[in-house]
Amino acid sequence: MLPLDRSTHQRVASALDAAVQERAARAFEQFEAMPHPTEKDEDWRYVELDFDLADYAIADAPGTALGSHEIERLLGPLAGKAVNIDGHTISVDGGDGVEVKAGLGAVSPTGTVLSDRFAALHDAFARDGVIVSTKAGAQPEAPVLIDLQTVTDGGLALPRISVVAGEQSSVSVVVLQRSPDGIASLVVPAFEVSAGAAARVEVTVIQEWGDDTVSIAAHRMASGRDASLYLAEAGYGGRYSRLRLAVDLVGAGAGAKIVGVYFGDGEQTLDYRYYMRHAARSTTSEMFLKGAVADHAKSVFSGLIRIEKEGQKTNAHQTNRNLVLSDGAEAHSVPNLEILADDVRCGHGSAVGPLDEEQRYYLQSRGLDRPRADRLQVKGFFEEAIQRFPYRALDSHLRDIALDKYAAVAL
């Protein structure tokens, strides 16, 4: 196990390509200079980080792989597959118009301003990842499955996923994130997605971290002219799980759709920070998230749509709805707009509340007892979001986890 110090950074960086070395060196200096985030920082508002980085170390070798997961069976034939354990990519398999290989991509410019200490941590110490790319015009029909696992107690994993879609190509990537219950691990994944002109990129993330895993993820997505981005995320696991998403629509006519479901119970905290930036004419975006919290769980959503002066004719909307299923649970929802253009359509919606009494009364008047009426409400609540995920084959899995969680807290 390697501690988070300069000697480890130098050891990791010495094995990287020159371009990535420069990025890592810059990030290490920022990591050393940046303070640990606190609730007083706007980007970390409503959460308190109850762990110490010194309690984790980088696994020098991958641990023992977990068994197969039903997600692979449900997806059927794949265009490619990769497995990354404790930050080490142990297998890759591409084909059918898509290249899948191990390594660190360098999609973001070297001089990118890092958003926080964890982004700097990732760039300074990350040593491996998965790169998925398509050439111009390639149209693989099946998805690529990336299986991210953390299995080492006390381990810190820093996997990086890079997706690069050539002009007029399409690619679909499904990322399964998992770890066993009872394993104290910290994982800081970074996803970097670049869609060339008229390309179409779909990324589906199924987050099933174990109950003592802390995950602090950062996704950066950028689109070219007339390109489309689609991110679907199901967040169910983790002691603390955060996703910071930054989308840049920099090509005219580009579009992005973001959909998510999450369910927190026990002492979980599920933390979502979304930033959608429209920096070109006639771009479109839609965010749609639904979540529930029970027991003493907490959810946080803050979303910002920023429309630059160049973003005339933008059409953008964000929606976040939350069910609060117990007195001890909390849900915070803070949508924001920053509009610098004068010819746009933009809006947001946010709701936090318990199950609907009128719907309960209606269902009970049709012969259902209260437990069945409430379960039907919860199912219907999530169904609107699940139906927007790219793969219908995953519907039953996503639905079952949410309903199993509800059944456990409803007892």
Side-chain angles (χ1 to χ4, degrees):
M1 301 287 274
L2 304 173
L4 291 177
D5 58 19
R6 184 175 292 276
S7 64
T8 298
H9 162 68
Q10 291 175 340
R11 175 176 171 175
V12 170
S14 65
L16 303 177
D17 294 339
V20 189
Q21 272 188 13
E22 182 182 350
R23 171 174 166 169
R26 191 192 306 267
F28 181 74
E29 300 305 322
Q30 290 176 286
F31 171 70
E32 290 277 89
M34 286 177 167
H36 201 62
T38 73
E39 195 174 3
K40 294 180 181 178
D41 301 312
E42 182 59 30
D43 203 31
W44 295 83
R45 193 177 174 193
Y46 303 117
V47 298
E48 184 176 354
L49 301 181
D50 61 348
F51 65 91
D52 191 333
L53 276 177
D55 294 336
Y56 302 94
I58 298 173
D60 199 26
T64 304
L66 301 174
S68 60
H69 193 285
E70 74 163 343
I71 286 289
E72 185 167 356
R73 178 183 62 79
L74 293 172
L75 287 174
L78 299 172
K81 182 183 177 183
V83 179
N84 181 287
I85 300 176
D86 293 331
H88 302 263
T89 299
I90 64 165
S91 68
V92 291
D93 181 19
D96 191 23
V98 61
E99 181 179 46
V100 182
K101 61 182 181 179
L104 293 178
V107 176
S108 296
T110 304
T112 296
V113 176
L114 297 171
S115 56
D116 57 47
R117 195 168 188 240
F118 292 98
L121 164 69
H122 177 96
D123 279 9
F125 291 95
R127 60 168 60 182
D128 205 354
V130 179
I131 304 170
V132 178
S133 58
T134 55
K135 295 181 180 178
Q139 303 279 333
E141 294 183 0
V144 175
L145 175 63
I146 300 176
D147 188 356
L148 292 185
Q149 306 176 19
T150 61
V151 299
T152 299
D153 197 31
L156 164 60
L158 303 155
R160 185 179 303 170
I161 308 300
S162 299
V163 180
V164 183
E167 291 185 8
Q168 298 184 354
S169 71
S170 68
V171 63
S172 181
V173 179
V174 177
V175 184
L176 171 63
Q177 302 181 136
R178 55 180 174 147
S179 57
D181 285 341
I183 296 295
S185 60
L186 171 63
V187 56
V188 184
F191 291 12
E192 299 184 331
V193 176
S194 175
R200 182 172 62 88
V201 178
E202 292 179 350
V203 178
T204 302
V205 182
I206 312 297
Q207 187 274 90
E208 297 181 16
W209 297 122
D211 59 6
D212 204 10
T213 292
V214 173
S215 173
I216 300 176
H219 295 184
R220 304 169 189 165
M221 308 178 81
S223 68
R225 184 181 181 88
D226 295 324
S228 67
L229 299 169
Y230 203 138
L231 172 66
E233 200 263 359
Y236 293 127
R239 175 161 61 89
Y240 170 69
S241 181
R242 173 185 172 93
L243 170 55
R244 186 184 195 281
L245 170 68
V247 179
D248 267 325
L249 300 176
V250 294
K257 289 186 177 180
I258 313 297
V259 61
V261 296
Y262 50 89
F263 196 135
D265 58 1
E267 303 290 335
Q268 280 187 280
T269 296
L270 302 176
D271 182 6
Y272 294 93
R273 315 283 172 156
Y274 284 2
Y275 303 85
M276 182 71 67
R277 178 171 170 265
H278 293 257
R281 188 178 181 84
S282 301
T283 53
T284 60
S285 71
E286 181 181 9
M287 300 182 192
F288 188 84
L289 276 75
K290 281 195 163 186
V293 283
D295 298 329
H296 291 87
K298 177 192 293 186
S299 69
V300 180
F301 168 79
S302 66
L304 171 64
I305 296 174
R306 178 182 170 88
I307 303 176
E308 306 288 358
K309 291 180 181 177
E310 299 80 7
Q312 301 293 352
K313 302 293 183 184
T314 284
N315 190 345
H317 198 85
Q318 60 178 324
T319 301
N320 176 234
R321 294 174 186 155
N322 296 273
L323 279 179
V324 179
L325 298 170
S326 66
D327 293 339
E330 299 176 40
H332 303 274
S333 181
V334 187
N336 293 286
L337 306 175
E338 285 185 12
I339 303 174
L340 306 181
D342 57 12
D343 184 11
V344 302
R345 298 178 62 186
C346 193
H348 60 69
S350 173
V352 176
L355 290 170
D356 189 284
E357 289 287 352
E358 290 189 7
Q359 288 190 33
R360 177 183 289 149
Y361 175 79
Y362 172 81
L363 293 169
Q364 289 184 288
S365 71
R366 294 298 185 270
L368 297 180
D369 57 23
R370 176 166 174 159
R372 292 177 64 195
D374 288 355
R375 178 180 170 85
L376 196 58
Q377 267 203 68
V378 171
K379 181 180 179 183
F381 175 80
F382 282 111
E383 202 67 21
E384 188 179 7
I386 289 173
Q387 289 292 325
R388 299 185 186 212
F389 275 60
Y391 293 102
R392 297 280 66 78
L394 300 183
D395 286 0
S396 60
H397 181 76
L398 301 176
R399 186 183 303 120
D400 289 348
I401 295 179
L403 292 178
D404 286 350
K405 280 200 158 203
Y406 175 69
V409 301
L411 292 175

